Amino acid sequence: MSAHDADVLAATLRACNRAANAVSEVAFAKDLKRRDVLQDAVYHRVKADFDLGAQAAVRTVKKVCDAYAILKGNMKAGNLGSEGAKRRIRAESKPIVFRENAAQPYDDRILTWNLDRRTVSLWTVAGRIKHIPFVCPPEAMKLLASRRGESDLVMREGMFFLIATIDITEPPVSEPDGFLGVDLGIVNIATTSDGEIMAGRRLSRYRKRHRDLRAKLQKKRTKSAKRVLKRVRRREARHAANTNHIIAKQLVATAERTSRGIALEDLSGIRQRVTAKKDQRARLHSWAFAQLGAFVEYKARRTGVPVVHVDPRNTSRQCSKCRHTHRTNRVDQARFVCRSCGTVLHADHNGSRNIAHRGEAVWKRGAVNRPSTA
């Protein structure tokens, strides 16, 4: 890609996101969250004021509607706190704002893929640019033939990416022979009912180094320190995502090899429901459990491994052997001692065994989609 093409793509993202901010203000002020109604109100203004093409204007309006739909879903799920919470009030009291380089959706009317030549042509504010080369792994290249729906144009650190949606046929979900319980935690990211502890102490040390580095940089308050902070934040996010991918792949492989399903805790809204000690708050809020759960689910779907979510209440206080539940059973962070039968286990291992039992119970009573026996 030439420097000119890169400048044009950057200008296109800026124009689309400025238009999205204008549309968002109208949607918020007039409470127009339905796509057809909002599009009627802003379509001509968006085309004229921001020099967008017809289809680009339509995609921009849809992006705004999708953002408000996601916000509504998060509030309904309690991810922004209960009604009256400060975080929820902040989200509700102002229109959604898009960054100047935020992703922009493209459909097949304004984006064309040439897989043989490995090039794309796409609409920009300076007209359509053709024969832009792209690179991807050979495995992804094979999957691009089954691409469906929109693709997102993304700019990260001066590089441009097209994120395509691939339509992959999922194998049928198999009938599991038991469940692999997974306890998600702050100290140990994942502990299985087989007793395997994943990404605990090493990841904690990595996060502590980055917390200390961020604290030093934040005290400086210089422009260079802010630039380094951005790089550190992105590096830590990449490291966390890579760690979650490795853990998810290992969990799914274990479940598939042993013909079991995977049982996870339903931790939606955990940050609002849990009151952590001061020294644990940073770790709680940097804990990407939702990302790990999403990775496990999509990898499991590709292999036909069933995944169920269970109620996490008292999994750390209940004995996985005799089912006796008491708060004093959890002696400390790492040790569980049952006051009834005397069972001694690692606390997270005990919790994961309880999750496995609950997953099997959920499956047997038919609270999840079951594979067809026909």
Side-chain angles (χ1 to χ4, degrees):
M1 181 190 298
S2 67
H4 173 266
D5 290 347
D7 289 341
V8 170
L9 291 179
T12 300
L13 286 180
R14 287 195 297 271
C16 289
N17 285 300
R18 288 170 182 170
N21 285 330
V23 173
S24 179
E25 290 176 0
V26 174
F28 179 80
K30 299 184 178 180
D31 194 24
L32 303 177
K33 308 298 170 56
R34 284 175 48 195
R35 179 182 168 187
D36 54 348
V37 178
L38 181 58
Q39 187 168 305
D40 287 343
V42 301
Y43 175 75
H44 294 291
R45 174 193 166 190
V46 166
K47 286 186 62 181
D49 292 354
F50 300 96
D51 199 25
L52 300 190
Q55 198 62 19
V58 170
R59 293 297 98 197
T60 300
V61 172
K62 185 179 183 296
K63 179 169 78 168
V64 173
C65 292
D66 289 345
Y68 278 103
I70 292 171
L71 176 61
K72 183 179 178 181
N74 281 330
M75 289 192 294
K76 188 175 181 180
N79 295 336
L80 299 176
S82 58
E83 193 170 348
K86 289 183 179 179
R87 188 180 177 196
R88 180 165 177 166
I89 291 174
R90 282 199 302 269
E92 290 177 318
S93 61
K94 57 185 180 181
I96 292 175
V97 177
F98 297 85
R99 293 176 290 106
E100 282 205 335
N101 61 347
Q104 175 65 18
Y106 276 72
D107 62 19
D108 288 343
R109 294 186 179 183
I110 49 179
L111 169 66
T112 304
W113 297 77
N114 189 325
L115 301 184
D116 294 333
R117 296 183 178 180
R118 293 200 175 193
T119 61
V120 294
S121 68
L122 69 168
W123 170 90
T124 69
V125 290
R128 197 172 186 94
I129 300 181
K130 299 181 179 180
H131 311 304
I132 299 178
F134 70 88
V135 293
C136 67
E139 299 81 8
M141 193 67 195
K142 295 176 183 176
L143 295 174
L144 274 175
S146 56
R147 183 186 55 82
R148 294 290 184 274
E150 297 177 349
S151 301
D152 287 341
L153 177 65
V154 179
M155 184 173 71
R156 291 176 183 165
E157 299 180 8
M159 295 183 291
F160 290 92
F161 300 86
L162 274 171
I163 301 176
T165 302
I166 307 298
D167 187 9
I168 300 176
T169 302
E170 295 180 8
V173 176
S174 58
E175 183 70 34
D177 183 17
F179 276 81
L180 178 70
V182 182
D183 181 82
L184 304 179
I186 300 174
V187 177
N188 300 314
I189 300 301
T191 305
T192 72
S193 52
D194 292 343
E196 187 174 7
I197 297 175
M198 302 179 181
R201 190 176 302 172
R202 184 178 177 183
L203 186 58
S204 295
R205 288 199 298 266
Y206 178 88
R207 285 175 168 170
K208 185 179 185 304
R209 288 200 307 271
H210 275 259
R211 281 201 306 273
D212 294 343
L213 178 59
R214 283 198 302 270
K216 288 171 62 177
L217 292 170
Q218 286 167 351
K219 287 180 180 179
K220 292 183 179 295
R221 296 186 177 184
T222 61
K223 287 185 177 180
S224 60
K226 290 178 181 178
R227 285 196 297 269
V228 175
L229 273 171
K230 287 184 179 179
R231 288 203 303 271
V232 169
R233 184 177 67 248
R234 290 193 291 264
R235 187 187 308 139
E236 187 173 4
R238 289 195 300 270
H239 181 81
N242 181 62
T243 301
N244 282 339
H245 271 299
I246 293 171
I247 294 173
K249 187 176 181 179
Q250 192 171 346
L251 291 173
V252 173
T254 300
E256 184 182 17
R257 186 182 67 251
T258 57
S259 301
R260 287 181 289 178
I262 298 176
L264 299 171
E265 300 167 279
D266 181 6
L267 296 178
S268 55
I270 186 68
R271 290 190 177 93
Q272 286 70 45
R273 291 189 280 109
V274 172
T275 303
K277 295 180 181 179
K278 187 174 182 179
D279 61 340
Q280 289 186 332
R281 288 174 190 166
R283 284 188 291 177
L284 174 65
H285 289 278
S286 63
W287 178 31
F289 63 87
Q291 184 188 67
L292 175 56
F295 288 172
V296 169
E297 288 197 61
Y298 94 76
K299 292 177 191 293
R301 284 200 302 270
R302 292 181 64 177
T303 58
V305 172
V307 176
V308 299
H309 291 85
V310 302
D311 188 343
R313 285 179 294 183
N314 291 324
T315 52
S316 63
R317 298 176 176 180
Q318 185 180 66
C319 177
S320 58
K321 187 174 181 181
C322 71
R323 305 291 190 270
H324 174 69
T325 304
H326 197 275
R327 62 182 179 82
T328 57
N329 284 351
R330 181 76 177 259
V331 177
D332 53 35
Q333 189 278 324
R335 196 156 61 105
F336 179 92
V337 180
C338 180
R339 303 303 182 189
S340 177
C341 68
T343 297
V344 179
L345 284 170
H346 188 284
D348 292 341
H349 184 200
N350 177 76
S352 63
R353 289 173 61 173
N354 285 324
I355 293 167
H357 296 324
R358 295 185 185 187
E360 193 163 0
V362 167
W363 183 265
K364 286 181 177 178
R365 70 171 182 261
V368 294
N369 293 329
R370 303 291 294 274
S372 174
T373 57

